[in-house]
Amino acid sequence: MRPRPLIATVSTVPRGSRCIVLTVIHPARVDPDTWRDTSAHLEELGLLPGEVIQKIGSAGPAGPIILRCMGSKVAISREVARSIVVRPTTKC
């Protein structure tokens, strides 16, 4: 069994993983105004530093990533999932 990484992104952790959100990184290729709106939406969904989330899966090989966050299921794009830095945890 491979050891779990200490830090990863939502896009790289396996399905079923529980993680603590560490930070959300602004991708350099995304316009700052667009990212400000995206970041605000993530906050509304509860994807904030310190929150425990669970990666449930994805909607197909190129579809969005499905997460459980604050008791709700949310879908985020793969690009956004690559921007959310997490640490795997066993915390519920």
Side-chain angles (χ1 to χ4, degrees), residues 13-35:
V13 296
R15 184 181 54 177
S17 296
R18 292 185 193 283
C19 303
I20 296 174
V21 176
L22 299 178
T23 191
V24 179
I25 299 169
H26 172 197
R29 65 186 173 280
V30 176
D31 173 69
D33 291 331
T34 301
W35 184 251

Side-chain angles (χ1 to χ4, degrees), residues 1-91:
M1 186 167 144
R2 288 185 358 205
R4 289 180 137 179
L6 297 177
I7 296 177
T9 64
V10 170
S11 64
T12 60
V13 296
R15 184 181 54 177
S17 296
R18 292 185 193 283
C19 303
I20 296 174
V21 176
L22 299 178
T23 191
V24 179
I25 299 169
H26 172 197
R29 65 186 173 280
V30 176
D31 173 69
D33 291 331
T34 301
W35 184 251
R36 195 174 3 265
D37 293 343
T38 301
S39 182
H41 184 63
L42 293 174
E43 288 180 18
E44 291 170 2
L45 294 174
L47 289 164
L48 299 165
E51 287 297 326
V52 176
I53 62 172
Q54 181 179 21
K55 183 175 180 179
I56 296 174
S58 64
I65 303 287
I66 312 298
L67 305 173
R68 182 173 310 280
C69 180
M70 299 180 71
S72 298
K73 286 183 182 178
V74 298
I76 59 172
S77 72
R78 289 179 182 271
E79 181 176 28
V80 170
R82 287 189 293 272
S83 302
I84 302 172
V85 180
V86 296
R87 183 181 71 234
T89 185
T90 56
K91 197 175 175 180

